[in-house]
């Protein structure tokens, strides 16, 4: 994450729910535990306190809610993380408070937060954050990446999970068959009308 742009960090954040879903499906819970362990550091890098990741705060909130809905994060953890990033969606905004109950220098999320690269750099050079300005190329790149990500999300809505590897079992065909209504007299009439229209088109083409 440290070596990637803020746009790519947002894409990686969006990838976390899919990673956890795949890990659960394959019974590889170690990936979920690593996500839980590093989620605070990931959030700090995707939406830094210096305001450079203000556009990513909405992404972070959406992904956190998704992870909570899938059962990968506890509700209390999500609430604390959202409180921690409050104010980061404003460029040059106020410094976000640490989650409630984070403790002192050796306690819980506070110690993790102080060990993130952004926080270490802020402590070394002061907490005042300059105003971040994005150039036209960065804005256009962000728009294009958002468009591609939303297109893939829409494609996933219609995807039908194939539960079996057998070639004679097609989940999509089975779903279509189950949702298709019974054939009635009106369906036969519509079929006859369409067949007649096709014959008329063929006669017209032959005549031309």
């Amino acid at each position: 994450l440290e070596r990637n742009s803020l746009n790519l960090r947002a894409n990686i954040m969006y990838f976390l729910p899919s990673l956890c879903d795949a890990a659960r499906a394959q019974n590889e819970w170690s990936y979920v535990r690593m996500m839980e362990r590093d989620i605070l550091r990931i959030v700090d890098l995707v939406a830094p306190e210096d305001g450079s990741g203000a556009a990513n705060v909405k992404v972070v909130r959406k992904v956190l809610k998704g992870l909570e809905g899938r059962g990968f994060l506890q509700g209390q953890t999500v609430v604390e993380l959202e409180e921690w990033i409050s104010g980061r969606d404003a460029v040059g905004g106020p410094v976000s408070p640490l989650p409630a109950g984070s403790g002192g220098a050796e306690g819980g999320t506070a110690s993790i937060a102080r060990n993130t690269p952004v926080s270490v750099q802020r402590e070394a050079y002061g907490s005042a954050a300059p105003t971040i300005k994005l150039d036209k190329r960065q804005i256009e790149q962000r728009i294009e990446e958002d468009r591609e990500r939303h297109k893939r999300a829409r494609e996933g809505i219609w995807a039908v999970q194939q539960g079996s590897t057998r070639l004679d079992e097609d989940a999509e065909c089975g779903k279509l068959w189950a949702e298709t209504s019974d054939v009635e007299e009106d369906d036969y009439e519509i079929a006859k009308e369409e067949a007649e229209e096709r014959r008329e088109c063929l006669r017209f083409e032959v005549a031309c």
Side-chain angles (χ1 to χ4, degrees):
L1 279 173
E2 298 92 333
R3 295 190 297 270
N4 290 307
S5 66
L6 288 168
N7 291 343
L8 290 177
R9 294 180 192 182
N11 291 336
I12 294 172
M13 189 76 188
Y14 268 119
F15 172 68
L16 288 182
S18 299
L19 173 65
C20 293
D21 286 337
R24 178 165 56 186
Q26 299 297 325
N27 202 28
E28 293 288 346
W29 292 99
S30 58
Y31 291 98
V32 178
R33 288 193 292 271
M34 285 188 285
M35 182 278 298
E36 293 173 337
R37 180 195 66 195
D38 297 332
I39 187 63
L40 182 64
R41 185 164 180 264
I42 294 172
V43 168
D44 195 32
L45 288 169
V46 175
E49 278 188 357
D50 60 4
S52 59
N56 289 347
V57 173
K58 185 177 180 180
V59 173
V60 171
R61 292 195 177 108
K62 181 178 180 180
V63 172
L64 290 177
K65 286 296 184 183
L67 291 172
E68 179 188 2
R70 288 172 165 85
F72 297 121
L73 286 177
Q74 297 181 358
Q76 182 62 27
T77 301
V78 173
V79 170
E80 292 179 355
L81 287 171
E82 288 183 343
E83 290 177 355
W84 188 53
I85 62 173
S86 62
R88 295 193 181 190
D89 50 353
V91 177
V95 176
S96 306
L98 290 174
S102 59
E106 302 298 328
T109 55
S111 60
I112 301 176
R114 278 192 292 273
N115 289 330
T116 57
V118 173
S119 299
V120 171
Q121 184 179 17
R122 185 176 59 253
E123 291 178 0
Y125 296 100
S127 58
T131 301
I132 306 298
K133 293 184 178 179
L134 300 177
D135 58 27
K136 182 179 179 181
R137 184 187 61 81
Q138 290 176 313
I139 296 173
E140 291 175 348
Q141 181 183 1
R142 179 59 180 262
I143 294 173
E144 183 62 28
E145 290 180 354
D146 287 346
R147 184 184 296 114
E148 288 297 321
R149 184 167 54 248
H150 294 158
K151 183 175 71 175
R152 289 194 297 270
R154 288 193 298 270
E155 292 173 351
I157 294 175
W158 304 104
V160 178
Q161 295 295 330
Q162 183 70 26
S164 174
T165 57
R166 294 178 55 182
L167 297 178
D168 60 342
E169 295 184 7
D170 190 334
E172 185 173 1
C173 179
K175 183 175 183 292
L176 181 62
W177 180 266
E179 294 177 352
T180 301
S181 60
D182 296 333
V183 178
E184 299 178 354
E185 189 65 26
D186 293 341
D187 297 311
Y188 289 111
E189 292 296 329
I190 294 173
K192 289 179 182 179
E193 293 175 0
E194 291 178 348
E196 182 61 29
E197 290 177 358
R198 284 195 294 270
R199 284 193 291 269
E200 287 291 336
C201 290
L202 289 174
R203 285 195 291 267
F204 179 77
E205 291 179 358
V206 171
C208 292

